[in-house]
Amino acid sequence: MSAQVLERASVAQVWTWLEQVPDPEIPVISVVDLGIVRDVAWVDGACVITITPTYSGCPAMTVIRDDIERVLAAQGVGHVSVQTRLAPAWTTDWMSARGKASLSGYGIAPPAQQVIDISGISRRASPALVVACPHCGSRHTRLVSQFGSTACKALYRCGDCKEPFDYFKAH
Ligand SMILES: [Zn+2]
């Protein structure tokens, strides 16, 4: 047996490790639960991770890349290549149920299920969309601004507990 032959972690194992990489903007959710990790593959001895950012020009990409390399290096995966794939665009539908639950616990209303018409083409969320308050569960909430702490979130205020909160816009 040659010492040159390194035991290669399985793709499934790499996915498990990636669950330890938090999203820089919402640290309670991992990049896997956020749905931005699209593919894991071994290519010519390198572990290639394909990421679709939540929106193009996402400044967090550099941080995500560094975090992925650091987490995998700690597991002995030295050759990591993080690649970006912009199409198809990320959608909140790729977020896992666990990810959406984590958002609520963090005080952010998770994206509402998109309305699907009979042709199967998703429509934009209706302006009358009801967003439940992540603090008290009330559905008596009001849109304050289309832009919350980041462009992908809208700012709402609860009519019952009066707390403002971010809504992670479905897109
Ligand atoms: Zn409330």
Side-chain angles (χ1 to χ4, degrees):
M1 265 220 269
S2 163
Q4 297 292 93
V5 179
L6 295 173
E7 209 176 309
R8 184 184 276 188
S10 69
V11 165
Q13 179 65 73
V14 173
W15 276 101
T16 312
W17 290 331
L18 290 175
E19 288 174 2
Q20 299 167 20
V21 179
D23 174 61
E25 288 180 355
I26 314 166
V28 292
I29 187 168
S30 78
V31 291
V32 173
D33 283 326
L34 189 59
I36 64 170
V37 179
R38 302 316 298 160
D39 193 39
V40 175
W42 285 97
V43 180
D44 296 335
C47 188
V48 179
I49 316 288
T50 304
I51 302 281
T52 296
T54 50
Y55 55 99
S56 57
C58 181
M61 271 309 291
T62 311
V63 179
I64 292 171
R65 186 185 308 259
D66 289 351
D67 284 352
I68 286 175
E69 287 174 355
R70 183 176 45 76
V71 164
L72 294 186
Q75 300 291 348
V77 182
H79 292 87
V80 177
S81 170
V82 179
Q83 302 189 348
T84 306
R85 183 193 291 163
L86 296 178
W90 177 84
T91 151
T92 42
D93 291 344
W94 292 353
M95 199 182 286
S96 72
R98 182 170 59 178
K100 289 176 182 174
S102 303
L103 280 184
S104 293
Y106 195 56
I108 298 174
Q113 204 67 31
Q114 288 189 332
V115 179
I116 308 292
D117 68 22
I118 51 169
S119 66
I121 299 165
S122 63
R123 285 180 281 176
R124 300 181 72 86
S126 128
L129 177 76
V130 175
V131 175
C133 170
H135 304 295
C136 71
S138 166
R139 298 175 73 81
H140 178 213
T141 58
R142 186 171 62 82
L143 175 68
V144 175
S145 164
Q146 279 294 342
F147 298 99
S149 60
T150 65
C152 63
K153 303 188 199 78
L155 182 65
Y156 275 72
R157 183 179 294 277
C158 178
D160 286 327
C161 73
K162 312 295 183 197
E163 288 290 326
F165 64 91
D166 273 343
Y167 164 62
F168 203 115
K169 287 186 269 191
H171 64 98

